[in-house]
Amino acid sequence: MEPLDVSSLPALPAPMWFIQFFKVLGFVLHMIPMNLWLAGMLLAVILYPWKGFPRRWATRIGRQMPVVVALGVNFGIVPLLFIQVAYPWAFYPATILTAWFWLAIIGLLLIAYYGVYAFTFGLTDEDKPMATWRFLAGWISAALFIVLAILFSNGLSLMAAPERWKSIWLANQVAGAATGTGHNFGDSSLWHRWPMVFGMALMTTAVWSLLDSILFDRKATSEYRSWVARFSLIIGVAGAIVYASSGTGYVFGTWPKAVFDYMWSEWRLPLTLLTGISPGLVVATLLWIRYRGVSGGSVLAAVLSQVIVLSTNAISRQLVQNLELSPLVPVGQLTAKPDWGPMALFLISFGIGLVVIGWMLQQVVRAERSPSEA
Amino acid sequence: MHYPWWYVPLLTSPMLIAIIAVLHVLVSHYAVGGGLFFAFETSFAYQTGNREYLSYLRRHAPFFILLTVVFGAITGVGIWWTIGLASPLATEVLIRTFVFGWATEWVFFVIELTAAFIFYYYWGRLAPRIHQIMAWIYAIAAWISLVLITGITAFMLHSGRWLESPSFWTGFFNPQFIPQVISRTGGAILLTSLYVYLHSSLLLPNGDVRSLIVRRSTRPAFVGAVLITVGGIAWLLFLPESARLALEAAAVLTVLTVLIFALTVVVFALLYFGPYRNPGWMTPGFAASLLLFGLAAFSTGEFIREAVRKPYVVYGVVLGNQVLEKEVPDLRRNGFLQSGRWTHAYVAEHYPQAVDGGRIIPERLLSLPQQDRQQIGQVIFMHHCNDCHAAKTGYSAIGPILFSRPRPMLVDMIRHLHETHYFMPPWSGTSEEAELVADYLLTLSPERPRGIYPSLEKLETQP
């Protein structure tokens, strides 16, 4: 499509750095639970029919899944809100061209979410098999989470590829109006980026399993923790391999020269390198934990490593996205007319929210330490 | 006009918003009212030591979670999804104006969600006082989120002083804000009582606990009904003049207004004669009827609230056809097809002979063969009219509305759209473009049914 006249666009209600900071922060927060439902649900339905520790692990993550999904959906609101503030001229056209796929996310998510509850309510610590329909619901949810990730990438990768809009639109329109049946499945970057997300999902699930076994699972034995360390290493290494291989394909196979030159120069070079090698940090900590045993410090190191993986990925993606959109609108030239009062309202509410949520979680920790029936 | 238009056959894409929005509000109000219900009732049950009542409340919690946290939350996101697809310009304006209102609402969502899960999953593991505080935190956070979103949705109906001095605060504290907060709060309380009646009647045998639940839920139901009435009257008083006129001018809205009045009276009567005077009547059938009447009244209210905004999506700012009101003179001068990014691209792609140096020449469009003129007319129809009208058949289909209208009358009507029907957006194109639309509309218009005016037909056939 033709470039947009920047002067015709209304001013942003906050500085671009502010919008992008919260977009990236929100995305990282969203990625954690989203990763858990993407890989965790699949592993839960695979491992639940087993006996012993695999079943114990599947039961635990399965029981956590309703909260995980709720948080994932909720945290997803922030990046989507700030995307629409910063790039409405890219977000709306891309999603409208793929409208039915984009809208399907809502219906499928609803089915997947109820499937999670159906599965969760059927979980049992005993050796009894789960009712078939509940188990099937779990599998449907796991499959739908994978489909949802692809549909999401479909819309958002198209957003950053305005050069593809016209051909998709012309192939899917009635008298110029988009039929919403377009898709971006032909974009090779989509098929690299989606496995990258799945690789990160495996790593996040690996690290979460360790954190859960040491922090929340009060009944975990040292044998179980040891099993979790082995299991986390396996899925963590698998995730790192998937992430690294698809990431290599993404960078060297799909990046145009302009993007390549931009990301491999100046201060962005160390960021790009860190984004590429950060899964190695996770694998290193998982190896350390596997052979030195699970401890608070080592799990904290694993958590920090995974946060680095997710953050560097999100920041790098943001930079690439800005560059990809620059032929349409040079993002750096957008003007801002900050709305300080409402911004202060948000930041104060954010602070109060953190305090209130912190207090509530403190009560949970207390209850966990001294469980008693009221 | 930066955005493509999404064509949904028969239904029109904005109707998808209406469907999802109505489904959402029926649950989201329960999410707010349910918070108050749990806060008050768990406090009461703990303070009176009523373990049976507490046990019922514990059984009500998963029903509440499954309905509000899953269906309510996802359909809430669904509305956001759909408005971006079917009404992108209005969504852009709203998000740009209220981004920090939405961000603040999100903070309260997270508080709500955390409190709801702790309240539910740690039932029996938290000290009673802490458990009650969790319920109150949820209730307050949920109500604040209602207040925040109401400020934004009320702005769509009446933007108030925002047009003279656009800012978050002038937009948020609009004339419709307080009336809608009152009526929505009332709606949340009333609807919750109706959900509680149904749930308790299905789960509990007729006895002391059920009787207690019914008794304790009836007073809030009346309070809710009073708040709805007060808020509704204030809503009516503070409507923009155009919306008040729309209520009188559009027959369907008049009928729906009478219907909502009738449904409200029915709900009042059922509440009074049922749970208030005869708690024993609260069988599942009675409770289901009561809830259905309540849901019907609510849905009708939401439909009216949406419909009276016409011709605007955001009052005074964005017209129903995704055009900024302030842009209309420019669009008339420069042409609708020329000004739209996607309409221009369509003409340039399919009719390059009508484009010169990037400008669409209207006279060249008129000199195209009839079939091409109709095709371009359809392009304009899609982007100018399809927000509210399907084509031949479907929602408010334009064919049957305009049937057998002679071409000159049609062209004149298009050029003076808002003068013909004030709740229609003004024509936003050139005179030549009006001709092209007329060419297309004539292809949709069915023949006048034969024999409908026999005496006139006889007159017309006389030499």
Side-chain angles (χ1 to χ4, degrees):
Chain A
M1 296 301 289
E2 296 293 308
L4 279 162
D5 175 12
V6 180
S7 65
S8 71
L9 299 174
L12 297 168
M16 196 53 159
W17 65 263
F18 184 94
I19 293 171
Q20 294 198 343
F21 170 76
F22 273 96
K23 178 175 171 273
V24 168
L25 176 70
F27 186 62
V28 173
L29 284 176
H30 167 67
M31 282 286 276
I32 297 168
M34 185 274 272
N35 279 187
L36 288 176
W37 81 48
L38 185 60
M41 192 66 198
L42 182 65
L43 290 167
V45 289
I46 291 172
L47 295 186
Y48 187 73
W50 293 28
K51 287 195 167 36
F53 292 143
R55 183 179 175 115
R56 189 173 194 281
W57 180 89
T59 305
R60 277 200 68 77
I61 198 152
R63 286 195 176 134
Q64 292 160 355
M65 206 48 76
V67 180
V68 166
V69 178
L71 289 176
V73 171
N74 207 285
F75 290 155
I77 291 173
V78 182
L80 269 176
L81 178 65
F82 285 105
I83 279 181
Q84 291 181 69
V85 176
Y87 321 106
W89 32 266
F91 178 80
Y92 297 128
T95 51
I96 289 168
L97 294 178
T98 58
W100 287 112
F101 292 104
W102 187 247
L103 190 61
I105 289 173
I106 298 299
L108 297 178
L109 181 58
L110 200 56
I111 296 168
Y113 201 172
Y114 275 119
V116 163
Y117 269 102
F119 178 75
T120 303
F121 285 165
L123 290 168
T124 163
D125 294 323
E126 300 153 27
D127 266 352
K128 281 193 299 189
M130 183 187 279
T132 310
W133 74 269
R134 288 187 183 279
F135 190 58
L136 193 63
W139 266 106
I140 290 170
S141 297
L144 286 180
F145 285 139
I146 292 169
V147 173
L148 285 165
I150 294 171
L151 291 180
F152 227 93
S153 299
N154 178 50
L156 293 182
S157 59
L158 184 61
M159 182 190 109
E163 71 282 359
R164 297 177 61 85
W165 296 354
K166 193 173 175 185
S167 60
I168 292 173
W169 168 59
L170 287 172
N172 298 276
Q173 51 84 27
V174 172
T179 53
T181 47
H183 61 77
N184 194 36
F185 299 138
D187 181 352
S188 60
S189 75
L190 167 69
W191 300 107
H192 288 94
R193 283 180 53 212
W194 180 82
M196 281 173 75
V197 172
F198 192 75
M200 281 190 283
L202 285 168
M203 287 188 284
T204 305
T205 307
V207 173
W208 173 258
S209 304
L210 286 166
L211 190 68
D212 178 58
S213 75
I214 198 163
L215 201 63
F216 303 115
D217 189 354
R218 288 163 38 84
K219 292 178 187 163
T221 59
S222 56
E223 290 80 15
Y224 176 68
R225 287 198 178 123
S226 174
W227 178 86
V228 170
R230 279 203 307 280
F231 176 66
S232 296
L233 179 64
I234 294 167
I235 60 171
V237 168
I241 291 170
V242 172
Y243 180 84
S245 55
S246 51
T248 307
Y250 172 60
V251 170
F252 295 100
T254 70
W255 273 4
K257 189 174 179 307
V259 176
F260 199 87
D261 290 346
Y262 179 73
M263 291 303 288
W264 285 89
S265 62
E266 299 177 27
W267 57 271
R268 293 169 298 269
L269 176 61
L271 174 71
T272 308
L273 291 174
L274 186 60
T275 309
I277 62 166
S278 56
L281 292 174
V282 178
V283 170
T285 52
L286 292 177
L287 274 167
W288 179 29
I289 290 166
R290 167 71 184 86
Y291 292 106
R292 288 293 179 91
V294 185
S295 67
S298 59
V299 172
L300 182 64
V303 170
L304 289 176
S305 307
Q306 185 57 16
V307 169
I308 291 173
V309 171
L310 298 175
S311 309
T312 52
N313 179 273
I315 296 167
S316 299
R317 177 66 202 140
Q318 184 59 60
L319 293 172
V320 173
Q321 195 176 62
N322 286 349
L323 194 69
E324 286 171 334
L325 288 170
S326 60
L328 194 64
V329 171
V331 175
Q333 289 177 23
L334 289 168
T335 55
K337 194 177 154 204
D339 232 351
W340 298 114
M343 197 192 288
L345 170 77
F346 164 59
L347 292 173
I348 292 167
S349 307
F350 192 70
I352 292 171
L354 287 178
V355 171
V356 173
I357 290 168
W359 180 84
M360 287 194 283
L361 294 178
Q362 194 186 12
Q363 303 312 311
V364 168
V365 173
R366 277 193 192 150
E368 286 287 346
R369 281 187 191 150
S370 55
S372 62
E373 280 292 320
Chain B
M1 291 170 62
H2 300 310
Y3 303 120
W5 176 245
W6 180 27
Y7 168 61
V8 174
L10 302 175
L11 205 57
T12 77
S13 55
M15 280 306 284
L16 293 174
I17 304 177
I19 293 168
I20 296 178
V22 167
L23 289 173
H24 172 71
V25 295
L26 298 180
V27 174
S28 64
H29 282 78
Y30 172 44
V32 176
L36 292 167
F37 167 74
F38 276 112
F40 276 107
E41 297 311 299
T42 46
S43 299
F44 170 79
Y46 277 123
Q47 278 158 21
T48 55
N50 191 334
R51 298 187 77 85
E52 278 183 300
Y53 191 27
L54 210 52
S55 157
Y56 167 72
L57 292 171
R58 191 171 187 171
R59 290 170 77 189
H60 192 98
F63 170 72
F64 178 76
I65 292 272
L66 281 176
L67 204 54
T68 61
V69 172
V70 183
F71 189 83
I74 304 295
T75 50
V77 179
I79 295 181
W80 204 26
W81 237 244
T82 331
I83 60 171
L85 294 172
S87 197
L89 182 66
T91 310
E92 182 196 338
V93 168
L94 288 176
I95 285 190
R96 205 174 281 273
T97 309
F98 295 112
V99 57
F100 293 112
W102 257 305
T104 307
E105 193 200 5
W106 168 76
V107 171
F108 286 96
F109 272 152
V110 181
I111 296 174
E112 236 180 288
L113 202 61
T114 314
F117 279 127
I118 295 173
F119 178 77
Y120 172 56
Y121 281 108
Y122 285 84
W123 196 305
R125 294 174 65 185
L126 293 172
R129 195 178 68 87
I130 302 293
H131 195 220
Q132 289 169 60
I133 292 174
M134 291 295 170
W136 279 104
I137 290 175
Y138 174 89
I140 293 166
W143 186 74
I144 292 175
S145 69
L146 176 145
V147 171
L148 288 166
I149 195 64
T150 301
I152 299 169
T153 52
F155 169 79
M156 294 168 75
L157 178 56
H158 198 331
S159 47
R161 288 194 305 113
W162 189 87
L163 289 170
E164 297 100 63
S165 70
S167 81
F168 176 92
W169 304 110
T170 53
F172 189 82
F173 293 111
N174 58 76
Q176 278 288 324
F177 172 63
I178 291 176
Q180 290 201 23
V181 167
I182 294 172
S183 57
R184 287 195 178 283
T185 304
I189 296 170
L190 172 61
L191 212 52
T192 298
S193 291
L194 305 189
Y195 276 109
V196 171
Y197 291 149
L198 181 64
H199 183 264
S200 59
S201 68
L202 285 169
L203 250 72
L204 296 175
N206 210 346
D208 287 349
V209 181
R210 195 159 112 186
S211 183
L212 176 71
I213 293 163
V214 170
R215 267 204 324 275
R216 285 195 60 81
S217 291
T218 301
R219 287 216 176 129
F222 278 120
V223 170
V226 169
L227 288 176
I228 292 174
T229 310
V230 171
I233 292 169
W235 175 84
L236 205 60
L237 290 175
F238 288 97
L239 277 179
E241 198 183 341
S242 65
R244 254 205 308 274
L245 276 173
L247 275 177
E248 294 170 26
V252 65
L253 292 183
T254 313
V255 171
L256 287 176
T257 308
V258 173
L259 181 67
I260 196 172
F261 179 73
L263 286 167
T264 309
V265 170
V266 168
V267 172
F268 261 107
L270 288 176
L271 276 174
Y272 180 77
F273 290 111
Y276 187 67
R277 294 293 298 270
N278 304 289
W281 285 10
M282 197 48 78
T283 59
F286 190 90
S289 309
L290 196 46
L291 180 61
L292 280 178
F293 279 117
L295 296 180
F298 234 79
S299 310
T300 314
E302 289 298 323
F303 186 87
I304 293 174
R305 190 184 61 81
E306 289 282 321
V308 294
R309 283 206 309 256
K310 284 179 180 176
Y312 289 107
V313 181
V314 179
Y315 185 78
V317 187
V318 183
L319 289 156
N321 54 357
Q322 300 299 303
V323 166
L324 290 171
E325 195 276 338
K326 64 181 181 188
E327 279 181 352
V328 174
D330 284 342
L331 294 175
R332 284 188 174 184
R333 205 167 28 248
N334 300 325
F336 188 79
L337 294 166
Q338 172 70 33
S339 309
R341 200 168 159 70
W342 299 81
T343 49
H344 185 277
Y346 184 90
V347 175
E349 181 72 21
H350 293 88
Y351 304 99
Q353 68 273 34
V355 182
D356 188 7
R359 285 207 66 81
I360 297 171
I361 312 297
E363 296 77 22
R364 291 193 193 170
L365 294 175
L366 286 179
S367 63
L368 289 169
Q370 183 66 8
Q371 206 178 346
D372 293 336
R373 287 168 54 124
Q374 288 166 355
Q375 178 67 19
I376 298 171
Q378 189 184 4
V379 174
I380 302 172
F381 171 82
M382 284 291 186
H383 294 83
H384 196 293
C385 320
N386 186 236
D387 290 69
C388 304
H389 297 286
K392 235 174 192 164
T393 47
Y395 177 71
S396 193
I398 202 72
I401 290 175
L402 299 174
F403 87 94
S404 77
R405 201 166 297 209
R407 193 175 187 283
M409 200 188 276
L410 208 52
V411 174
D412 191 58
M413 189 208 74
I414 294 166
R415 284 181 187 156
H416 302 96
L417 265 187
H418 70 291
E419 287 155 311
T420 318
H421 301 291
Y422 79 92
F423 46 81
M424 295 269 284
W427 170 241
S428 303
T430 61
S431 297
E432 291 86 351
E433 286 172 331
E435 304 258 353
L436 296 164
V437 177
D439 287 338
Y440 170 64
L441 293 182
L442 285 168
T443 67
L444 303 175
S445 205
E447 290 277 311
R448 192 168 71 189
R450 263 176 294 175
I452 187 170
Y453 306 123
S455 55
L456 290 177
E457 279 166 16
K458 222 178 269 175
L459 198 68
E460 282 162 9
T461 51
Q462 276 173 6

